[in-house]
Amino acid sequence: MPRSVAQRFPRADGAVPEARSFLGDVLEEWKVTDRSDDAVLCLSELAANAVRHGKQCGFLVEVLLDDERLRVEVYDAGAGAPRLARPSDDDTAGRGLLIVSSLADGWGVTPHDSCGKTVWTEFKTDESSTRVGVIRC
């Protein structure tokens, strides 16, 4: 059965750790363990971008689980679409989406005509790890 949950976060310093904690709690409740560390790290990068580049109204995190796919979405009302950077060895920023790209099975940006965009990332999961009471031999 597909599941989804969402929570809004302010555009504030403590929002990124709160978003990580939210996702960690959801994945624990749903018993998704095989990709949880990757998903939390990718959310951290996307949430940091939303805080850094979004608008004052904050951002929304939505988590969806359907069959063997976990999708984490971050919506913010900011303009522009994020894209992979090519930082030099001396750059101190610009690696967030490189991390997302290397850990996730897919990611992208969905622009919204009215305002803002959703940046999403997806992970293939072991379906059996999300079913309560299933025993594999």
Side-chain angles (χ1 to χ4, degrees):
M1 175 191 311
R3 302 179 218 183
S4 69
V5 64
Q7 185 169 326
R8 181 166 295 285
F9 296 92
R11 187 173 175 233
D13 290 341
V16 174
E18 288 175 23
R20 280 195 308 257
S21 180
F22 163 72
L23 179 58
D25 291 346
V26 167
L27 296 179
E28 184 177 323
E29 179 183 325
W30 290 352
K31 300 189 182 341
V32 175
T33 58
D34 59 327
R35 300 295 302 275
S36 61
D37 290 341
D38 292 344
V40 170
L41 180 55
C42 288
L43 170 63
S44 183
E45 296 299 333
L46 299 182
N49 284 347
V51 168
R52 190 173 303 118
H53 304 292
K55 293 201 175 189
Q56 199 59 36
C57 59
F59 62 97
L60 178 74
V61 173
E62 185 168 9
V63 185
L64 305 104
L65 182 64
D66 185 11
D67 294 328
E68 297 179 9
R69 178 183 60 112
L70 172 69
R71 183 175 174 116
V72 179
E73 299 180 346
V74 176
Y75 166 80
D76 73 76
R83 59 183 181 273
L84 288 174
R86 294 180 185 234
S88 71
D89 291 344
D90 297 333
D91 287 338
T92 58
R95 291 178 178 78
L97 288 178
L98 290 171
I99 292 169
V100 170
S101 180
S102 69
L103 293 177
D105 293 311
W107 75 275
V109 180
T110 304
H112 300 283
D113 291 336
S114 58
C115 180
K117 74 236 171 242
T118 298
V119 184
W120 54 267
T121 184
E122 291 184 339
F123 305 88
K124 295 175 186 170
T125 64
D126 178 7
E127 184 180 21
S128 66
S129 72
T130 64
R131 291 188 182 165
V132 178
V134 173
I135 299 173
R136 294 184 78 176
C137 298

